[in-house]
Amino acid sequence: MTELVRLSKRMSELGLCSRREADEWIARGWVRVDGKIVAELGSKVLPHQRVSVERQAAAEQSKRVTILINKPVGYVSGQAEDGYTPAIALVKPENRWPEDKVQTVFHPTQLRSLVPAGRLDIDSVGLLVLTQDGRIAKHLIGETTSVEKEYLVRVAYSKPGRLPDADLRRLNHGLSLDGKKLLPAKVTWQNEDQLNFILREGKKRQIRRMCELVGLRVIGLKRVRIGKVKLGKLPEGQWRYLRDDEEF
């Protein structure tokens, strides 16, 4: 490949930061290409050129926080909409889980550029990740992500008897949404009215729509894990910081 690409895009591909962060660092003169500072936004590079960042960029990135919330019903993941409160409103000192072991002291500046890395719809509860770190956001919601997300889903069957095994197999692999085949999932019975779903994609209201296709109605949906990070004992409506030893 010898095509020129935008420097910010190349930095994101290399996993250095998000494209938004890249533009910020370029403007501050914190980015070098083949050892020379490049401070002009929109600059382009060849794939073989060496891209590095100054210490200030790494220091700023290390201060960025990632927060885990146990989102209750009635909160939206992102921007406020239709009078509903965004989940970020829960991130305040009085809602911090008293058992949070991270030494970080909360400061309102941590709310700046704190964005949801994946959605959880208004009727669903459980693990929601908010982060200031573009690398984590890209890892969790980028186009090529393969991070598992695990859900406990309480269901009711709309027909007499129990869901046929053939339909359970279709939930695992064989359904399409919006004209596109879904990736294989892992769907098993947790108990007689609760399913365990493990997905590697996150289409809008995906689990609810999958269930509808086989005659199941979702009564409750809770996300309990993203990658290797579990909701654990975090109480509903409370939050904690991602620990240094935790990775998605």
Side-chain angles (χ1 to χ4, degrees), residues 67-243:
I67 283 172
L68 312 176
I69 298 179
N70 186 344
K71 186 190 88 66
V73 166
Y75 286 82
V76 291
S77 301
Q79 299 296 318
E81 53 186 73
D82 302 329
Y84 293 113
T85 310
I88 195 172
L90 293 166
V91 184
K92 46 191 177 185
E94 57 267 36
N95 290 341
R96 185 175 179 182
W97 189 29
E99 293 183 37
D100 188 358
K101 300 288 191 289
V102 176
Q103 298 300 307
T104 303
V105 176
F106 175 74
H107 192 275
T109 54
Q110 292 165 3
L111 299 175
R112 212 178 293 147
S113 306
L114 191 67
V115 295
R119 291 174 58 87
L120 198 54
D121 60 51
I122 195 163
D123 305 317
S124 303
V125 303
L127 184 58
L128 180 68
V129 177
L130 301 179
T131 186
Q132 291 180 314
D133 191 330
R135 295 167 304 174
I136 287 178
K138 183 171 186 271
H139 181 59
L140 295 185
I141 57 176
E143 287 175 19
T144 57
T145 185
S146 60
V147 176
E148 285 187 349
K149 298 174 182 73
E150 183 176 355
Y151 304 80
L152 296 178
V153 186
R154 198 165 294 284
V155 292
Y157 192 39
S158 57
K159 300 170 189 172
R162 191 172 161 82
L163 182 77
D165 288 345
D167 281 339
L168 182 65
R169 286 195 292 273
R170 284 175 68 212
L171 284 172
N172 277 272
H173 195 210
L175 296 177
S176 298
L177 289 178
D178 308 321
K180 199 172 177 187
K181 265 200 167 317
L182 294 173
L183 294 176
K186 293 178 193 165
V187 186
T188 53
W189 284 105
Q190 187 84 1
N191 52 50
E192 61 181 29
D193 65 347
Q194 195 171 48
L195 287 164
N196 179 289
F197 271 75
I198 298 175
L199 304 181
R200 288 181 180 269
E201 60 188 333
K203 295 185 183 298
K204 194 169 184 183
R205 296 178 82 80
Q206 178 172 336
I207 290 175
R208 294 174 191 277
R209 293 165 70 198
M210 286 172 74
C211 287
E212 280 170 19
L213 290 173
V214 296
L216 292 171
R217 183 167 57 87
V218 172
I219 295 164
L221 189 154
K222 181 180 192 176
R223 184 156 63 202
V224 294
R225 178 174 66 85
I226 298 175
K228 295 177 185 171
V229 176
K230 295 179 180 177
L231 179 66
K233 295 177 182 174
L234 182 63
E236 198 169 292
Q238 293 188 19
W239 63 272
R240 68 174 179 87
Y241 291 106
L242 183 73
R243 300 192 310 269

Side-chain angles (χ1 to χ4, degrees), residues 36-56:
K36 292 181 182 169
I37 286 176
V38 174
E40 190 180 328
L41 290 175
S43 295
K44 295 191 172 184
V45 294
L46 290 164
H48 68 263
Q49 290 185 279
R50 191 168 61 84
V51 179
S52 58
V53 298
E54 302 291 88
R55 281 202 307 272
Q56 300 97 306

